[in-house]
Amino acid sequence: MAVLLKRLLHPRRPPAALGRPLGRREASLDTHAGAAVRVRFAPSPTGFLHLGGLRTALYNYIFAKKHRGSFILRLEDTDQTRLVPGAAENIEDMLEWAACVVGIPPDESPRRGGPAGPYLQSQRLALYAQATEALLKSGAAYPCFCSPQRLELLKREALRNRQTPRYDNRCRSLSEAQVAQKLAKDPKPAIRFHLEGEAPAFQDLVYGWNRHEVASVEGDPVILKSDGFPTYHLACVVDDHHMGISHVLRGSEWLVSTSKHLLLYQALGWQPPRFAHLPLLLNRDGSKLSKRQGDIFLEHFAAAGFLPDALLDIITSCGSGFAENQMGRTLPELITQFDLTRVTCHSALLDLEKLPEFNRLHLRRLVSDETQRRQLVGKLQALVEEAFGSQLQDRHVLDAAYVERIILLRQGHICRLQDLVSPAHSYLWTRPAVGRAQLGAVSEKVDVIAKRVLGLLEGPGMSLTQDMLNGELKKLSEGLEGTKHSNVMKLLRVALSGQLQGPPVAEMMLSLGPKEVRERIQKVLSS
């Protein structure tokens, strides 16, 4: 950089675009007719992927697929001081997790590669240096030798006077001789972009026409740090240009910076993409989603057993972009129904208390699909093994047919697959320790009830169904003088599960199967 700056020392010219300036038509950010749609999700690996990031990724994905375009994952890792170990891997891992059922994998990414790579900004430093050199040559950028101490003093003084901190553009007016003198002492200065002139108006696809006169309210921004790494403003412009990004869908917090980015596009002579700034995703009470909450990270939801498609459903149902909000939309339906012109400026309020119901709905949809159901069987087998392990008295409970029967019977009653290994459902996998005295406390007619139930199960060629069992148990109760049906059900529930509450007794019997029901009742009678 020092060599470049020395080579570029010449009388300063006012900033000018390297190509023709944007006209009013171009300021509307129209892209070339027929150009391929290419969008990007560009998180910074300073933390793991959370719901806000997932929503941005999803809107980019469904917009790309609706227009038969490409969805790119680019990691903006230029702030090396804030990188979190494992965050880059986590972001792509979680997008692949979200892809495992519903499919939102990037078409191009650090892991997948692609024609516009590399997809880590830290591996694209030469491109930023080239752009910076062009800006220095045109006079649209200049070296800044201000020390961190001086910049901190400027900030403190502004805050003391209740003003917005801004750089005073001191180094903008340095002469050629002054720059040469300073370069001898500090060969690696930061590079600032010369904010001058009227910012171009632009038509945001969500917020409409905008113009932010950044030159009048901000100091000249740093675009390349002294360590050779770019700041966000330069990096996103350079990368979006070289990657052929046609539309930038990003959070509304970047709306004010867009004028600054357009000035950079203008100074570099590049055609900008179209912009659509998405309103924020907020908590139900209107507060911002915060990484400090802990429970907004995707890995939390994955570990807790929530389905990717349930998360995609809830984060789109609480916002805009669709003709109507509804539960249970699949990814193909989201793609078909999405309309960027329907995205409003209003923030989306996310009520995570509704997530279990979304998950219940999508779990039932998976159960109804034979291929997906087989996958659920394998997952539940692993959960049972993990939860109970050596406690399993009979490993036949891991048989695929038995596990599938449980899933089919309990669908609609559970929100997550993990619910089936909760204490309330432990009776499905382990035999409860129930004594005869416990049943005697419920009814004095333990033996009579038990023998009649055993007789019911021993009927030749009897095909058990829940409706049939309900009817037979009702008849059994009616034949017991002085005994309420509810007490009969309570006694059988305790005998089969060791619990006072739970699923209907007929369903319990159907789940366990005749052989296991007989063994459990006989065990209690002999205790």
Side-chain angles (χ1 to χ4, degrees), residues 410 413 427 466 470 489 493 502-510:
R410 287 274 80 200
H413 300 285
Y427 72 91
Q466 193 164 337
N470 276 325
M489 295 300 99
R493 181 175 286 109
V505 171
E507 185 191 316
M508 280 186 170
M509 296 172 67
L510 201 59

Side-chain angles (χ1 to χ4, degrees), residues 82-93:
R82 296 179 59 228
L83 297 184
V84 173
E89 294 79 7
N90 172 269
I91 289 170
E92 196 148 4
D93 286 345

Side-chain angles (χ1 to χ4, degrees), residues 206-259:
V206 174
Y207 285 82
W209 283 99
N210 274 263
R211 175 189 281 126
H212 302 281
E213 297 297 347
V214 287
S216 64
V217 296
E218 296 184 32
D220 292 340
V222 171
I223 56 173
L224 197 72
K225 295 173 287 187
S226 59
D227 61 3
F229 280 81
T231 60
Y232 172 79
H233 303 299
L234 178 67
C236 74
V237 167
V238 170
D239 287 340
D240 287 346
H241 170 72
H242 285 289
M243 290 183 174
I245 301 302
S246 63
H247 296 76
V248 172
L249 278 66
R250 60 187 178 186
S252 59
E253 66 269 24
W254 295 110
L255 182 62
V256 175
S257 297
T258 304
S259 290

